[in-house]
Amino acid sequence: MNLLESHTDHTEQTGDRSIRRWDGAVSAFVSAAPRLFAIGLRVLQDVGEAEDVVQETWLRWARADRSVVVSPPAFLALTTTRLAINVVQSARRRHETSAGPWLPETTDRAVSPGTAAERHEAVDTAIRLLLERLTPAERAAYLLRMAFDYPYRQISEILHLSEDHARQLVRRARGHLATERCRPVSTTAHRRLVQTFLAAAQTGDLAELEELLAAGVAR
């Protein structure tokens, strides 16, 4: 085999791998799309805006370094949640409703140190707001539902309460996040929740976060 043939074979193989990776990315997004639309619709209460958010999620997914994404469904769900909440908190919607703190895209680890620091700071601020304004039960139900799209049945099992109670907690959390009340925040508790949340978002393994939130409710 001459050098030209070898180069041609290598190019074809590389092209095949690229096509397979792209097909996998498309497949992962298509599989998640109904869930992503449901997330957007639940947060925004508007079909058109929910569709726009899902489209933007696709653009983020297409540009992302997917080789470092451990859990594509978690990446896509968290990105959709962040984008939807960002819309809710934009200037044109702020006077109508408030769905809570902005939760940045934390699953994409292929970012510069500066961008990573900005995202960490944003999560730090959002978690502090949750600690200041929500009870442990409200905070647990809200985070599991809004950031990770847990069904109410699963939330009720984790927190050992009824599904109706879990729904009420999320509704109350939305209302309390729009208030100005401010509870004292433990520096230790704040740091631990931030670190656990970031780890869950980056790896897709939410077991430690579930345990931490449930422990707060049980106390």
Side-chain angles (χ1 to χ4, degrees):
M1 178 182 294
N2 60 37
L3 291 176
L4 178 59
E5 290 174 337
S6 176
H7 174 74
T8 300
D9 286 347
H10 174 73
T11 301
E12 289 176 350
Q13 292 170 5
T14 302
D16 288 345
R17 285 197 296 271
S18 297
I19 290 171
R20 285 196 295 272
R21 285 197 295 269
W22 183 248
D23 286 345
V26 173
S27 176
F29 182 82
V30 170
S31 298
R35 179 188 178 202
L36 303 182
F37 177 75
I39 294 172
L41 188 60
R42 185 174 64 248
V43 175
L44 296 165
Q45 301 297 309
D46 183 277
V47 172
E49 289 188 335
E51 290 174 343
D52 289 344
V53 163
V54 173
Q55 178 63 28
E56 180 61 25
T57 299
W58 161 251
L59 295 176
R60 302 292 180 92
W61 178 236
R63 293 195 299 263
D65 180 0
R66 294 179 296 277
S67 66
V68 301
V69 176
V70 178
S71 172
F75 176 96
L76 292 167
L78 193 58
T79 299
T80 301
T81 301
R82 183 200 67 80
L83 291 170
I85 291 177
N86 198 31
V87 170
V88 170
Q89 293 198 315
S90 66
R92 67 188 178 84
R93 289 287 298 271
R94 194 174 294 121
H95 69 285
E96 296 175 5
T97 185
S98 173
W102 177 57
L103 297 174
E105 300 168 76
T106 55
T107 50
D108 180 7
R109 291 171 291 173
V111 296
S112 68
T115 300
E118 290 175 0
R119 292 182 180 180
H120 187 284
E121 182 179 356
V123 171
D124 187 279
T125 301
I127 295 297
R128 176 171 291 279
L129 187 62
L130 294 179
L131 288 166
E132 289 176 344
R133 299 188 180 181
L134 304 183
T135 66
E138 290 169 349
R139 183 165 56 250
Y142 183 87
L143 267 179
L144 293 173
R145 181 65 177 173
M146 301 304 296
F148 297 100
D149 195 36
Y150 274 49
Y152 285 108
R153 176 190 54 76
Q154 190 173 359
I155 294 173
S156 70
E157 293 172 354
I158 292 169
L159 303 183
H160 303 291
L161 42 80
S162 69
E163 284 189 48
D164 285 342
H165 192 182
R167 292 177 187 275
Q168 290 173 4
L169 288 170
V170 174
R171 285 197 296 270
R172 290 175 192 166
R174 288 189 177 120
H176 289 158
L177 284 168
T179 68
E180 296 299 324
R181 72 179 184 177
C182 184
R183 303 167 183 267
V185 175
S186 162
T187 300
T188 301
H190 176 236
R191 185 184 303 113
R192 184 180 181 192
L193 184 53
V194 168
Q195 292 173 345
T196 306
F197 176 86
L198 286 171
Q202 289 168 348
T203 65
D205 183 356
L206 276 71
E208 186 178 353
L209 180 62
E210 291 176 3
E211 183 178 348
L212 177 61
L213 294 173
V217 174
R219 284 202 284 271

